Amino acid sequence: MLDVFTNPVTPFAQNANLLVCKTTKHAAIIDPGGDIEKLIAAINSANASLKAILLTHGHLDHVGAAKQLAETYDVDIVGPHLGDKFWLDALPRQSEMFNFPLAEVFTPNTWLADGDTFSFGEITLEVRFTPGHTPGHVIFIEHDSKRIFVGDVLFNGSVGRTDFPGGNAQQLKQSIESQIYSLPEDYTVYPGHGPTTTVGHEKRTNPFTSGRFG
């Protein structure tokens, strides 16, 4: 039912994931951080019809191309949680800090909350609220194919930073344990950076949550 095409973008190699319904070819893209030409090429290559842009959180490397892509395809920007509004309001400052192309301030068409769902084609995603890396971070779960798109909450062998404004290490650990590790171990985890992993692998080996580190 679901095809996933992962496209690393920006100098931070952020994973912009294009989700395509196999039946309808309707698509959504999660965290289009930059390199819009590359993302448009990926949409065209998949012969997909983009229906929405979904954001896990407000950091520049995850949202940098969102406004331009939304205008190009005349689609809505959905997410993150309202708690990340201050990050979106600070996009020009973020651009300056990281020497990225200027990203304009924008407001999503829809803010997300824990327990929301979002559908496109024949695909439905569950939204879970996962603060800690940022105060308004969310993740998206597609239960039929057992896939989780976790932004910068959890990585293969690591976890998201908590030293940015609004970060909270204890809150991040609680989010991982309650919202991700509560899922079946065979669910595939798509992080915002780096390779995929599984819930079970991270529960057993991740040094930041298994008690083997710190």
Side-chain angles (χ1 to χ4, degrees):
M1 290 289 292
L2 178 67
D3 282 327
V4 179
F5 303 93
T6 301
N7 303 276
V9 295
T10 84
F12 293 170
Q14 187 273 319
N15 293 327
N17 286 299
L18 177 66
L19 282 58
V20 182
C21 172
K22 291 182 180 181
T23 304
T24 66
K25 289 294 183 179
H26 291 182
I29 192 164
I30 299 177
D31 290 355
D35 299 337
I36 188 170
E37 297 84 2
K38 182 176 183 178
L39 298 178
I40 290 172
I43 294 166
N44 291 339
S45 178
N47 193 28
S49 176
L50 190 68
K51 297 301 180 182
I53 294 165
L54 307 178
L55 303 179
T56 62
H57 65 293
H59 284 167
L60 174 63
D61 59 320
H62 289 254
V63 308
K67 185 174 186 290
Q68 188 179 358
L69 200 64
E71 292 171 349
T72 300
Y73 287 93
D74 191 25
V75 297
D76 285 353
I77 299 174
V78 180
H81 182 279
L82 182 62
D84 267 17
K85 182 179 186 298
F86 79 101
W87 277 116
L88 298 180
D89 290 343
L91 280 172
R93 176 62 178 150
Q94 291 193 64
S95 304
E96 180 182 335
M97 287 174 60
F98 296 108
N99 197 29
F100 272 44
L102 178 64
E104 297 180 17
V105 174
F106 66 86
T107 300
N109 299 90
T110 304
W111 298 103
L112 291 172
D114 190 66
D116 285 347
T117 60
F118 182 83
S119 298
F120 61 96
E122 296 181 357
I123 305 300
T124 297
L125 303 175
E126 178 193 352
V127 177
R128 293 190 179 185
F129 182 44
T130 52
H133 177 64
T134 68
H137 202 297
V138 298
I139 63 172
F140 300 96
I141 306 170
E142 207 284 307
H143 289 284
D144 287 343
S145 64
K146 299 183 178 181
R147 302 190 215 199
I148 322 165
F149 303 89
V150 298
D152 284 357
V153 172
L154 181 69
F155 303 117
N156 188 326
S158 188
V159 297
R161 292 176 60 170
T162 57
D163 57 339
F164 291 124
N168 184 303
Q170 185 58 37
Q171 196 175 45
L172 179 67
K173 186 176 181 181
Q174 290 173 350
S175 291
I176 293 169
E177 291 176 347
S178 65
Q179 302 288 49
I180 298 176
Y181 288 176
S182 59
L183 292 163
E185 292 196 352
D186 61 344
Y187 273 47
T188 301
V189 175
Y190 286 75
H193 304 265
T196 60
T197 182
T198 65
V199 170
H201 180 74
E202 296 311 311
K203 284 175 72 173
R204 290 188 296 272
T205 67
N206 191 297
F208 294 89
T209 59
S210 66
R212 296 193 297 114
F213 181 88

